[in-house]
Amino acid sequence: MIYAKQCILLIACLSLLGLNLEGSAFEQGIAAYESGDYSQAIEHFHTSIDTDTETAAARHNLALAYAQSGQTSEALWQLQRAHRLEPSNHELLIKIEALKQQIGLLPESYSWFVLASHYLSFSQWLILSALITWILVWLYLLGRFSQRSLTSGRLTTWILLMLALPFTAVSYLEQSRGQILSEEPVELRAAPASAAPTVGNRLPGSQGRILDQHEGFYKIKTTDQQTGWISKNNFRPFYLDPK
Amino acid sequence: MYTYNHSLKMRFRYPFHLVFISLLGLLSAQAEVTIRAYFDPPSIPLGDRSQYIVEITETSTRSMPNHQAVNSLDIPPIENLSLRNGRISTSQRTNIINFEQEYSLTQSVVVEADPSQLGTYTIPNYTVEYKGKAYSVTSTQLKVTERDENAPPGIDELIYLQIDLPESLYLGQSIESELKLFVSTDINLRGLNGFDRNADSFTVSELPDDPQERVEIIDGRRYRVISWPLEITPIRSGEQPIDFQLTISAVIPQSRNSRDPYGSRSPFGSSIFDDMFGRTERLNLYTDSTTINVKPLPTKNQPSTYSGAIGDFSMEVFSDTESTSVGEPIMLSLKLNGKGNFSRINGPELPASPAWRHYKPESTFEPRNDSDREGTKRFDYVFIPMKAGQQALPAINFAFFDPETEEYVELKGPPIEVAVKPSTRAQAPLPSTQTGNTEKARPTETPAPSLVNPEERLFTLDYQPKSGKSSINSNPLKNKSFWIINGLLAFATLGGYLYLRRREKYRNSETFALVQACKQALQQTRKELKAACDQNNHESFYLAAQNAIRLQLSICTGKNLKAASSAEIERDLNALSIETEQLLSLRTILTQADAIRFSGLSSSSSSSHLESTYQKLQNALNKLS
């Protein structure tokens, strides 16, 4: 019994320590940023993201530190990532546009559909769609075998399903979206080889969707419909591989 | 002359002969496969082509053999004999000879044979697998003789494909070459059917829609020369093969048709018009197989500013103005003239400077002579001065590799002096606005001049380390738990559906309800029977037996016979088609039960008799069910 109490106390202390660690790295990052040591700030914010749960605030601050260090395309990627972690924060969208303007990219018009799909993650949309589907199936079964009329319930569920499915699809497509990371214009190539001829140049910060990949190259389609191969070092998806 | 009895004796005396003859007959009815290989024609003058034909014929007297396509032949390679462009044709034939039918199915594999030297070419024996069996393809020869001086020119002399390629290239070096189709004026070119290339280690531009055309006289013969410019860029180093193929339709004059070295004859046969005007043939033309030695770019003496340009260039650097003020942009332009891989050239990277802020350049290209490899490419850099005074724009260095001299060349532009006057605009300081609940005093600071726009008011930190949202990366479709849970839900839904359907049936159908109730009661009664048998309790046994029979009959007939009289039970038993033995057993049991029940007679039979009665009852009940 005594040992049980001691164990509980130890676990509580460790949890607090974890919290403190997260706050500590984050706070250290803020302190480094405010003192002008941006490389140190970058390191601290990365530690904060790696050691504890990834937060929109850490990504946002990391973006500012990168921007101050002159790595504007990396900063833009971090802000895009922060936006996906906290879609309700419109401040992030404003900052994204400001940074794009600084890089020299055209402003992007966000369709309400794509923005709404960011409010839940793809897994949440999928689980929601699956749940609504099951509810619809059970309502049909219940209506078949009971005396009650469940038309209104079924109708409501159909409407919810018709709303959830497109968002799930859009969210799924967004999984393959990414951004060019290089600090200089990057060549898109006709084949996945560094010696292949170019089919176009794209400015850093330009977005695209991954169509295919081969060895160290992604095949992407940019927002202005240009298709080409790009080195994986120069392109990073917004939704990272959990591995 | 044999009598009937004698022939009978023969039949029974020699049964094995009959079996043997039947087997022979059966075997003879099996399909027979023959393979024949030959050159057509077997002898040609140098410059002409022949066809190597392998015919696989399957014959049967029973029915048309089933077709199994031969997809490949393992033909041994022969030096100086090119075998390519194989195609398969199939034909079926039925012969009736002496009122007996013979079916044959022939697959012909036809391959173009193109010898490059005089001599005799022998394709040795090899095996081909057909319908699970291996068959030997006999060897065959092709003789290539000197062309007779008086003989008409070979088809290769009248129409051929050519491309001039260098022996070596550097990796990434683009070249322009012409693919030329030479067509003798004797031949009427009808159309171009296809273009193909064997150039995996190169990128090749598409064939232009508008070729150039001219007339040339070569060795006294007039040719129509159709040429297409192609841009070729090697993307892998080493010895790399490259060749091209063109498929065309042309009308070959009548004198050329007698040997018909190409293509297939018209299925409609020949006509007088064909003889007058020549026959349209589909020809596959190839350039000579070539390999190009693709060399990697040398690393020795490679300038640090080199970024992939290959060719020969000159450079011009200039600015649009020689004076400006702080914050007012000016443009620095770099012009590259010459010949090379312009598509791969990017604007040189300029070093950062505290005096200037610059942006990535815009580029434009003006081709010369409609070629992407010759022309002028211009890069325009925007510079914003950050300090007043006499400032020098950074020098631009451009390095390229000259494949002619096989050396790197670095062109250095001079730094351009610009007079920068002080700014006339006031600069706004960075704001110190806070977000979130925590108020922190932040010292005012001037922004890093080359990075943060002074007018930007949005570079404020987020001080709230809110709880994380780490699930945005996960993909449930790749998660087993997602599928397991959905599978369980599906299983539960199906189970629920079946249960509800059964319950509905139970409610709506009296017969169903009766049968279900009787089944349950019968299960219980069987247990009572067993118990009574074990206890040697005749009275309970026969009572339970009677109940069991009634319940089983209710299940079989769908009628409620739980309280039926013996006569009704007898009637229903007779109505069912059961074996007499079982019927008798059931009758005996029922009679005995009635006797015990109504007349108070107790059975004095032994336990073994009861056991056997129990077994008989069980068998009868199982038969009824």
Side-chain angles (χ1 to χ4, degrees):
Chain A
M1 192 65 178
I2 297 167
Y3 289 126
K5 282 184 185 170
Q6 285 173 344
C7 284
I8 292 166
L9 197 62
L10 183 65
I11 288 164
C13 287
L14 283 173
S15 309
L16 278 171
L17 194 63
L19 277 173
N20 278 337
L21 272 174
E22 194 277 342
S24 172
F26 189 83
E27 293 294 326
Q28 282 176 14
I30 289 175
Y33 182 94
E34 288 177 343
S35 66
D37 190 354
Y38 302 119
S39 54
Q40 197 65 25
I42 288 168
E43 228 178 272
H44 285 305
F45 287 130
H46 268 301
T47 306
S48 165
I49 289 165
D50 293 339
T51 55
D52 206 342
T53 323
E54 186 187 6
T55 62
R59 286 285 182 194
H60 166 272
N61 293 349
L62 189 54
L64 300 194
Y66 272 121
Q68 297 285 12
S69 304
Q71 298 176 60
T72 44
S73 64
E74 181 70 49
L76 186 60
W77 189 93
Q78 298 294 340
L79 277 179
Q80 292 278 12
R81 178 78 181 171
H83 163 63
R84 279 153 179 81
L85 288 165
E86 206 172 296
S88 53
N89 188 341
H90 293 290
E91 192 80 9
L92 289 170
L93 283 176
I94 296 168
K95 293 189 181 191
I96 285 169
E97 288 309 310
L99 202 51
K100 273 182 172 177
Q101 202 178 7
Q102 190 174 13
I103 293 174
L105 292 170
L106 291 172
E108 187 178 341
S109 58
Y110 294 93
S111 70
W112 68 270
F113 215 72
V114 173
L115 284 177
S117 73
H118 289 164
Y119 272 80
L120 294 179
S121 67
F122 169 63
S123 60
Q124 287 168 334
W125 279 117
L126 188 65
I127 290 166
L128 183 65
S129 300
L131 201 60
I132 296 172
T133 307
W134 283 120
I135 291 171
L136 189 62
V137 167
W138 293 332
L139 282 175
Y140 266 103
L141 280 178
L142 213 56
R144 159 85 172 75
F145 292 108
S146 74
Q147 305 292 330
R148 285 174 280 182
S149 164
L150 297 165
T151 314
S152 58
R154 285 195 288 222
L155 187 64
T156 310
T157 318
W158 264 117
I159 291 168
L160 287 173
L161 190 63
M162 289 300 111
L163 286 174
L165 280 178
F167 282 127
T168 308
V170 169
S171 189
Y172 178 72
L173 289 174
E174 284 288 298
Q175 298 277 306
S176 63
R177 217 169 157 84
Q179 182 200 296
I180 292 174
L181 273 183
S182 165
E183 293 304 318
E184 52 189 57
V186 166
E187 292 164 334
L188 293 181
R189 300 208 176 263
S194 53
T198 55
V199 294
N201 282 330
R202 284 299 172 273
L203 288 174
S206 303
Q207 286 189 23
R209 186 164 282 123
I210 298 171
L211 302 177
D212 197 359
Q213 53 182 303
H214 177 72
E215 291 179 1
F217 287 83
Y218 284 124
K219 184 177 183 183
I220 65 168
K221 188 172 188 176
T222 58
T223 44
D224 56 355
Q225 309 304 315
Q226 173 73 55
T227 305
W229 292 88
I230 187 169
S231 167
K232 280 185 179 176
N233 295 331
N234 291 333
F235 188 88
R236 192 192 296 159
F238 294 127
Y239 292 91
L240 302 171
D241 188 345
K243 289 176 189 173
Chain B
M1 191 170 169
Y2 294 99
T3 63
Y4 177 72
N5 286 335
H6 184 78
S7 63
L8 269 176
K9 278 183 197 170
M10 279 205 56
R11 196 178 307 153
F12 288 115
R13 193 182 296 173
Y14 303 111
F16 297 108
H17 288 73
L18 275 170
V19 169
F20 182 66
I21 289 162
S22 308
L23 268 174
L24 266 180
L26 197 66
L27 280 171
S28 67
Q30 298 293 328
E32 202 180 294
V33 176
T34 53
I35 298 186
R36 184 180 155 229
Y38 59 95
F39 279 100
D40 178 34
S43 177
I44 52 170
L46 184 64
D48 273 6
R49 293 182 195 173
S50 179
Q51 289 180 322
Y52 175 66
I53 300 172
V54 178
E55 285 178 352
I56 301 169
T57 306
E58 196 176 352
T59 53
S60 171
T61 54
R62 288 169 69 199
S63 61
M64 183 60 71
N66 290 331
H67 174 253
Q68 179 181 302
V70 175
N71 292 322
S72 64
L73 288 178
D74 208 2
I75 306 171
I78 307 295
E79 205 180 340
N80 298 320
L81 179 68
S82 167
L83 295 170
R84 54 189 168 186
N85 222 31
R87 61 187 185 279
I88 300 175
S89 63
T90 310
S91 63
Q92 296 176 349
R93 199 171 60 189
T94 305
N95 291 334
I96 301 174
I97 302 168
N98 292 335
F99 303 105
E100 280 185 11
Q101 287 176 324
E102 186 188 75
Y103 304 94
S104 67
L105 173 75
T106 302
Q107 277 192 79
S108 301
V109 181
V110 181
V111 182
E112 280 179 17
D114 185 9
S116 56
Q117 288 180 5
L118 296 171
T120 302
Y121 297 88
T122 305
I123 294 182
N125 291 347
Y126 60 95
T127 52
V128 65
E129 219 173 273
Y130 182 68
K131 289 191 176 176
K133 285 186 188 169
Y135 296 93
S136 175
V137 181
T138 52
S139 72
T140 183
Q141 282 188 343
L142 171 69
K143 275 192 188 152
V144 181
T145 55
E146 282 274 8
R147 181 169 289 281
D148 190 2
E149 280 181 9
N150 298 322
I155 206 75
D156 276 356
E157 290 179 33
L158 296 179
I159 185 164
Y160 57 93
L161 194 63
Q162 199 182 71
I163 186 167
D164 294 322
L165 292 168
E167 286 180 2
S168 65
L169 284 173
Y170 279 96
L171 188 67
Q173 178 187 357
S174 296
I175 56 156
E176 241 180 38
S177 191
E178 267 190 337
L179 181 68
K180 290 184 263 194
L181 174 65
F182 291 81
V183 184
S184 167
T185 47
D186 295 337
I187 292 179
N188 184 5
L189 185 67
R190 282 289 177 87
L192 181 64
N193 299 113
F195 170 65
D196 202 1
R197 71 205 96 168
N198 171 26
D200 290 338
S201 301
F202 300 85
T203 55
V204 181
S205 59
E206 291 301 317
L207 215 59
D209 292 328
D210 302 321
Q212 293 165 6
E213 203 169 315
R214 59 185 185 275
V215 173
E216 279 185 23
I217 297 176
I218 300 168
D219 292 338
R221 185 171 287 120
R222 286 172 70 89
Y223 287 90
R224 193 177 148 206
V225 182
I226 303 164
S227 60
W228 296 269
L230 293 177
E231 187 173 316
I232 300 169
T233 309
I235 58 172
R236 280 195 205 101
S237 56
E239 289 285 339
Q240 306 294 348
I242 179 169
D243 52 72
F244 299 90
Q245 176 187 332
L246 217 55
T247 305
I248 63 164
S249 301
V251 177
I252 312 293
Q254 187 268 340
S255 61
R256 301 294 325 143
N257 287 342
S258 57
R259 276 205 295 272
D260 187 31
Y262 296 102
S264 53
R265 291 192 174 273
S266 161
F268 304 109
S270 61
S271 72
I272 53 168
F273 294 104
D274 290 331
D275 288 336
M276 282 170 67
F277 300 111
R279 187 169 288 137
T280 301
E281 300 278 354
R282 194 182 165 95
L283 306 174
N284 297 309
L285 305 173
Y286 308 90
T287 59
D288 294 333
S289 288
T290 314
T291 55
I292 298 178
N293 179 21
V294 180
K295 298 181 278 192
L297 289 169
T299 49
K300 193 179 169 191
N301 299 328
Q302 189 181 88
S304 56
T305 54
Y306 179 71
S307 60
I310 302 177
D312 185 16
F313 307 96
S314 63
M315 184 174 85
E316 200 185 321
V317 179
F318 53 91
S319 67
D320 62 344
T321 180
E322 286 175 355
S323 67
T324 183
S325 44
V326 172
E328 289 295 322
I330 67 167
M331 194 158 72
L332 175 68
S333 301
L334 161 68
K335 253 186 173 178
L336 292 172
N337 299 301
K339 197 164 78 167
N341 55 351
F342 279 104
S343 59
R344 300 188 63 209
I345 296 175
N346 296 318
E349 199 177 314
L350 300 181
S353 163
W356 299 97
R357 187 163 56 125
H358 69 269
Y359 294 94
K360 309 305 168 196
E362 293 287 323
S363 66
T364 51
F365 176 65
E366 286 171 21
R368 195 184 310 144
N369 302 328
D370 290 330
S371 165
D372 286 342
R373 295 192 62 253
E374 279 187 63
T376 302
K377 192 162 187 178
R378 177 173 162 157
F379 298 94
D380 294 318
Y381 296 81
V382 171
F383 277 84
I384 299 177
M386 307 306 293
K387 287 195 273 191
Q390 196 69 16
Q391 306 291 349
L393 286 166
I396 296 184
N397 295 339
F398 173 73
F400 63 90
F401 179 78
D402 187 344
E404 298 293 324
T405 60
E406 297 188 340
E407 280 177 358
Y408 289 97
V409 178
E410 191 172 18
L411 304 174
K412 296 185 181 182
I416 298 173
E417 296 281 337
V418 177
V420 182
K421 296 175 205 151
S423 169
T424 52
R425 291 186 299 168
Q427 286 199 10
L430 253 189
S432 59
T433 52
Q434 305 272 344
T435 57
N437 298 325
T438 314
E439 289 286 324
K440 284 197 174 211
R442 295 178 65 222
T444 46
E445 53 185 355
T446 51
S450 65
L451 300 165
V452 179
N453 187 340
E455 296 176 12
E456 188 61 67
R457 282 161 170 76
L458 297 170
F459 277 85
T460 51
L461 289 170
D462 189 339
Y463 293 92
Q464 298 181 59
K466 293 185 199 118
S467 59
K469 185 178 170 182
S470 63
S471 64
I472 66 170
N473 287 333
S474 63
N475 186 352
L477 294 174
K478 293 180 183 171
N479 197 339
K480 273 187 206 169
S481 313
F482 178 78
W483 295 107
I484 290 169
I485 290 169
N486 277 282
L488 287 172
L489 283 170
F491 193 70
T493 306
L494 185 66
Y497 171 72
L498 291 171
Y499 168 74
L500 288 170
R501 207 178 88 169
R502 184 187 167 84
R503 202 174 73 163
E504 190 187 45
K505 255 178 115 173
Y506 199 86
R507 279 187 193 161
N508 294 342
S509 165
E510 281 182 17
T511 310
F512 182 79
L514 172 69
V515 166
Q516 296 306 311
C518 287
K519 279 182 178 172
Q520 279 181 354
L522 182 60
Q523 265 185 345
Q524 184 60 33
T525 308
R526 281 186 189 240
K527 285 179 191 170
E528 286 169 11
L529 267 172
K530 183 79 176 102
C533 182
D534 291 339
Q535 291 163 12
N536 202 26
N537 186 340
H538 289 76
E539 202 174 317
S540 302
F541 177 84
Y542 280 101
L543 194 63
Q546 203 177 39
N547 274 342
I549 293 167
R550 285 201 174 106
L551 287 169
Q552 186 62 60
L553 269 178
S554 300
I555 292 168
C556 293
T557 60
K559 293 189 285 188
N560 190 350
L561 298 171
K562 288 185 207 174
S565 63
S566 300
E568 285 173 351
I569 294 171
E570 183 73 33
R571 196 174 49 240
D572 285 315
L573 273 175
N574 290 330
L576 294 172
S577 51
I578 54 173
E579 291 170 15
T580 315
E581 197 187 325
Q582 262 99 37
L583 188 62
L584 280 171
S585 305
L586 291 171
R587 261 199 210 128
T588 310
I589 292 166
L590 285 169
T591 312
Q592 188 67 21
D594 280 341
I596 292 172
R597 197 174 158 202
F598 296 117
S599 56
L601 285 171
S602 60
S603 173
S604 57
S605 55
S606 63
S607 61
S608 57
H609 174 73
L610 199 64
E611 184 69 38
S612 72
T613 308
Y614 173 71
Q615 290 301 329
K616 283 180 191 168
L617 177 63
Q618 291 284 51
N619 289 339
L621 288 176
N622 291 338
K623 288 279 183 192
L624 275 176
S625 64

